[in-house]
Amino acid sequence: ILMTRDEGKTWRALDFGVPQTVEMPFRQFRFDPNNRNIAYATGGPYGLFKSIDGGNTWELTSLRGSFDTWVWTAAVHPKSSDTVYAGTTGWFGRELYRSTSGGNTWENMRATNFVGSVEEIVFDPRASSTMYLAAGDLGILKTTDAGATWRAMNEGIRIADPGPMPSRTPVLS
């Protein structure tokens, strides 16, 4: 991940403390909407990284990935910096996790029941207890009670899961 502080005139690579020779599939970089100094970066097989100084330094949270479970998406609750959601994908780790401690500890929300890779997490800006998941072969899931219950929102959507492991190489046509 590259960062600029001068509107794109100069860029510098961010250091996440992993060897430069390792292919690092960072997918998302998310700022906390409540505090612009806090940011998260999904680090694939390594896990979820957190910065509390605007991206200058990074620490690995306690949510880790593995060879077959990648941290793929993250979102910070719009009203609480301590509440962070992270989704995983992979052969065995297709789950939604929630931290109420800013990434120190995590609970498995059991939203996808090992079936749907969590590819995206979006909060409803009008109702902070309403959240949507793009969940692979499960389609779109919605909760209105902060994740206690979920229902599919797939009417009129053709669901096609490309497979359990994300592609590392983009295909150009």
Side-chain angles (χ1 to χ4, degrees):
I1 294 178
L2 301 174
M3 181 171 79
T4 182
R5 292 196 184 270
D6 57 11
E7 298 177 353
K9 293 176 185 157
T10 60
W11 295 85
R12 73 174 177 92
L14 298 178
D15 181 7
F16 289 89
V18 296
Q20 294 277 339
T21 57
V22 175
E23 182 179 339
M24 190 62 168
F26 284 104
R27 183 169 181 273
Q28 289 184 341
F29 182 75
R30 298 280 172 96
F31 279 100
D32 178 339
N34 309 292
N35 182 340
R36 298 297 285 176
N37 286 320
I38 299 174
Y40 291 87
T42 59
Y46 288 97
L48 185 66
F49 290 85
K50 179 181 181 180
S51 173
I52 59 171
D53 60 7
N56 290 312
T57 59
W58 293 88
E59 297 276 332
L60 190 56
T61 69
S62 65
L63 183 61
R64 305 297 168 93
S66 68
F67 173 75
D68 53 17
T69 301
W70 291 13
V71 179
W72 198 240
T73 186
V76 181
H77 193 278
K79 298 205 185 270
S80 171
S81 294
D82 288 333
T83 305
V84 182
Y85 290 83
T88 61
T89 189
W91 294 106
F92 299 110
R94 305 165 122 200
E95 294 289 349
L96 176 69
Y97 293 89
R98 177 177 61 197
S99 173
T100 56
S101 61
N104 292 324
T105 59
W106 296 88
E107 88 178 277
N108 187 329
M109 298 297 294
R110 308 243 183 265
T112 60
N113 296 319
F114 300 99
V115 178
S117 298
V118 180
E119 313 221 1
E120 188 63 64
I121 303 165
V122 178
F123 288 96
D124 184 330
R126 297 163 295 164
S128 60
S129 62
T130 300
M131 185 170 47
Y132 297 88
L133 297 182
D137 51 344
L138 293 179
I140 306 298
L141 302 178
K142 178 182 180 181
T143 181
T144 56
D145 54 15
T149 60
W150 296 87
R151 69 182 174 100
M153 305 290 298
N154 298 323
E155 179 121 3
I157 297 174
R158 182 177 166 265
I159 301 169
D161 185 17
M165 199 56 148
S167 172
R168 290 182 173 188
T169 307
V171 177
L172 303 175
S173 53

